[in-house]
Amino acid sequence: MIRFIAILLLLLMAGAAFGAPSANPAIPLFGSGNSKAGLTLSTPTEIVLLLTLLTLLPAVIMSVSPFLRIIIVLHFLRQALGTQSAPSNQVLVGLAMFLSFLVMQPVVLDVYHQGWEPVENGQMTWQEGFDQGSKPFKAFLLKFAREKDLETCVEMTKSPRPKNASDLSLSVLIPAYILSELKAGFQIGAVLFLPFMIIDLAVASVTLSIGMVQLPPVMISAPFKILLFVLVDGWNLVVGSLLKTFN
């Protein structure tokens, strides 16, 4: 699992910093100078590298995985139900994280087998491994990034327009994906609000009509919303529908 995380983080850092792999045939940190040699890092260096990569893990999980859309929808759902602290933030984050791992597992496995594993075995250079390993990850980002957001990010880089989508660098794909996921999450959250808002309006109308102005309608509507959510097996519906959006 650590290797999966390491190769994903390395791709993101290299893509965000350079946009594309360098033409230099070898990176001294990851080899002894022989372009066909595998990774020859010492154990202390590997530990330092992994600890450095792990510090970026929260930002990577939150921004370039399904975590972003899932956590936004779950927070909208909690607000719609009217339960301010149930489920707690820790529970929502944990659920979103493991659902993200579930969705990203095939992508990370492809990145590992196509990029990291051949480099580690000395079958290709680091740059070749970067090219091969970034392809599945780029395909995932392109699948959910809107064309409008991609155009905006390309314009901001002031770079020539690429001939096709495969020529886009990670420095363009990542922010475009984040913008697209923010919009998708808010759209789904707005739809989730509608049935619960109807219950709030109905309860508020009844309480006002019978003169119960001192009792907040939210206190009465909250049990009805929770009961409705439980009866329709809401968690299964919401999580199942969310996972289907990533197919």
Side-chain angles (χ1 to χ4, degrees):
M1 187 63 185
I2 293 179
R3 290 183 176 182
F4 296 165
I5 296 173
I7 183 60
L8 182 58
L9 289 174
L10 285 171
L11 286 172
L12 292 175
M13 287 194 302
F18 307 107
S22 172
N24 188 13
I27 298 178
L29 178 63
F30 294 95
S32 59
N34 183 2
S35 61
K36 294 299 181 182
L39 296 181
T40 57
L41 292 176
S42 62
T43 300
T45 304
E46 289 181 351
I47 294 174
V48 172
L49 177 61
L50 287 177
L51 289 177
T52 303
L53 296 176
L54 287 175
T55 60
L56 301 175
L57 183 60
V60 171
I61 293 178
M62 288 188 293
S63 57
V64 293
S65 73
F67 181 91
L68 180 59
R69 183 190 304 186
I70 294 172
I71 197 65
I72 289 174
V73 173
L74 293 179
H75 275 287
F76 268 106
L77 176 61
R78 188 174 65 178
Q79 293 294 324
L81 285 171
T83 55
Q84 299 301 321
S85 58
S88 64
N89 289 332
Q90 291 85 352
V91 173
L92 293 184
V93 170
L95 177 60
M97 181 178 65
F98 284 106
L99 290 177
S100 301
F101 287 160
L102 181 65
V103 175
M104 289 295 293
Q105 183 178 4
V107 178
V108 176
L109 285 175
D110 288 340
V111 171
Y112 174 74
H113 291 306
Q114 296 183 27
W116 182 272
E117 195 172 43
V119 174
E120 193 175 32
N121 295 332
Q123 298 174 357
M124 61 177 63
T125 64
W126 179 254
Q127 286 74 24
E128 293 172 345
F130 178 91
D131 288 336
Q132 295 298 320
S134 62
K135 288 180 180 179
F137 187 64
K138 284 184 176 181
F140 174 81
L141 297 179
L142 279 171
K143 184 177 180 180
F144 300 104
R146 297 187 307 158
E147 184 176 353
K148 183 177 180 180
D149 294 326
L150 290 171
E151 291 178 356
T152 300
C153 294
V154 170
E155 291 175 359
M156 291 300 297
T157 60
K158 302 185 186 303
S159 58
R161 185 175 295 273
K163 298 180 180 179
N164 50 61
S166 60
D167 294 334
L168 291 171
S169 64
L170 289 175
S171 59
V172 172
L173 286 173
I174 291 175
Y177 171 81
I178 295 173
L179 292 175
S180 301
E181 287 296 284
L182 285 173
K183 180 177 180 179
F186 274 80
Q187 285 177 334
I188 299 173
V191 173
L192 281 176
F193 250 106
L194 293 178
F196 299 106
M197 185 175 63
I198 293 174
I199 296 177
D200 286 332
L201 291 174
V203 172
S205 300
V206 172
T207 54
L208 290 176
S209 64
I210 62 178
M212 299 174 61
V213 294
Q214 300 299 327
L215 185 63
V218 176
M219 293 184 62
I220 303 176
S221 63
F224 287 102
K225 291 189 291 186
I226 295 174
L227 180 61
L228 174 64
F229 189 72
V230 172
L231 288 176
V232 300
D233 196 9
W235 287 110
N236 184 272
L237 290 175
V238 172
V239 171
S241 300
L242 267 175
L243 293 179
K244 289 178 181 178
T245 62
F246 292 102
N247 292 333

